[in-house]
Amino acid sequence: MSTTHAEIGHNRTGIGTAREFSDAMLEGTSEFLPSAVGDERDIARVREDYAKDADPLGSVPPPATLGDAVRTAAQGIRGLRPTQFIDKLGERLAFERSGVRLYEALLSKFSVFGSFEGGPTRDELELQMREEYEHFRMLTEAVTSVGGDPTVVTPSADLHATMTKGILEVMVDPRTTFVQCLEALLVVELADNECWESLTELAQQSGARELATAFDAAREEEAEHLENVRTWLAAAQNRPGE
Ligand SMILES: [Fe+2]
Ligand SMILES: [Fe+2]
């Protein structure tokens, strides 16, 4: 079973595998015309109409608890857009929770395919998974500390969950190899790095200093995750890497 290379096989997705039928197929496009008049401009118009009328992806609820939590929130979030901060906190929380699940799925691939020369050990993958979990725990406390409800799916959490759907599909597809799943993980870690940086900045701007320090530590761990995944993929592809 190959873990690092695509194999030669009977791939018939290209037109070149059946030249004799390709001309007939092209002829068919003039025989069977589109069933509706118009072109892509009409499609764009429909998209625009829907976008104008649609509800937003969701909203950020008011603080779940009253009293101390609200006071903390008022002290903790001095930024001009506290709702945005809560939205992004909810986003990262959900992403880190999904991140643990993604690592679990990746570990299943590891169990089947094993590693490769220059690839990760199970311990290394498990360490990164635990760090994702710790980030999730830390964010749960952070959301609570600013008077939010950590179980809420904020609009940005929803957005990121949809964006990550394809990655999850790759990870749990029985046909994908360990290395292919590492490629999916690279996309996760790239997004994660970017988002931890902006979250740290938002915390600093909001005057939430303690949170900013904790987020910066998470950001550093995420930078290491990314570096590691890049190195493993370079090894899988026989590249020297950086
Ligand atoms: Fe993460
Ligand atoms: Fe990570």
Side-chain angles (χ1 to χ4, degrees):
M1 207 181 296
S2 169
T3 57
T4 53
H5 303 116
E7 287 170 7
I8 299 246
H10 300 292
N11 182 331
R12 297 193 179 88
T13 56
I15 206 165
T17 45
R19 282 273 173 227
E20 65 276 26
F21 298 122
S22 61
D23 288 343
M25 199 170 85
L26 290 173
E27 274 168 33
T29 60
S30 50
E31 192 180 333
F32 303 103
L33 295 171
S35 55
V37 288
D39 54 24
E40 71 278 5
R41 285 170 297 184
D42 294 306
I43 299 172
R45 230 165 277 140
V46 172
R47 269 199 306 258
E48 289 160 19
D49 284 346
Y50 271 97
K52 278 178 208 152
D53 280 347
D55 291 329
L57 264 186
S59 58
V60 175
T65 49
L66 297 172
D68 284 353
V70 175
R71 275 197 292 281
T72 312
Q75 287 161 4
I77 309 176
R78 290 199 303 267
L80 292 174
R81 303 171 70 183
T83 314
Q84 178 188 265
F85 187 44
I86 301 264
D87 188 22
K88 300 311 262 180
L89 279 175
E91 165 214 296
R92 214 62 340 242
L93 183 149
F95 195 93
E96 295 300 295
R97 185 180 49 216
S98 303
V100 178
R101 302 293 182 224
L102 291 174
Y103 269 94
E104 282 175 340
L106 181 70
L107 280 162
S108 297
K109 296 290 181 177
F110 185 92
S111 300
V112 174
F113 294 97
S115 197
F116 49 88
E117 212 186 312
T121 62
R122 176 175 276 275
D123 283 351
E124 284 172 315
L125 291 177
E126 283 181 350
L127 173 68
Q128 294 195 181
M129 179 176 70
R130 275 199 304 277
E131 286 175 344
E132 304 294 356
Y133 180 68
E134 287 309 322
H135 297 167
F136 158 70
R137 290 287 300 269
M138 182 259 284
L139 283 164
T140 303
E141 282 172 27
V143 170
T144 310
S145 79
V146 297
D149 173 356
T151 65
V152 163
V153 179
T154 66
S156 198
D158 193 353
L159 175 76
H160 279 254
T162 306
M163 294 196 295
T164 318
K165 257 187 197 168
I167 293 163
L168 182 65
E169 277 180 35
V170 167
M171 291 282 191
V172 299
D173 189 324
R175 300 165 303 169
T176 55
T177 66
F178 175 56
V179 173
Q180 285 167 336
C181 290
L182 274 181
E183 293 212 34
L185 189 69
L186 177 67
V187 179
V188 173
E189 297 293 4
L190 280 166
D192 215 8
N193 268 259
E194 192 69 23
C195 294
W196 272 108
E197 252 176 55
S198 39
L199 192 66
T200 306
E201 233 175 276
L202 283 174
Q204 284 161 349
Q205 267 184 339
S206 301
R209 247 185 259 154
E210 271 181 36
L211 291 185
T213 307
F215 294 172
D216 199 46
R219 189 196 53 75
E220 268 179 36
E221 285 176 348
E222 295 296 357
E224 219 169 294
H225 293 180
L226 178 58
E227 188 63 36
N228 289 341
V229 178
R230 278 180 170 150
T231 307
W232 298 330
L233 276 174
Q237 296 162 359
N238 291 319
R239 288 186 282 111
E242 281 168 32

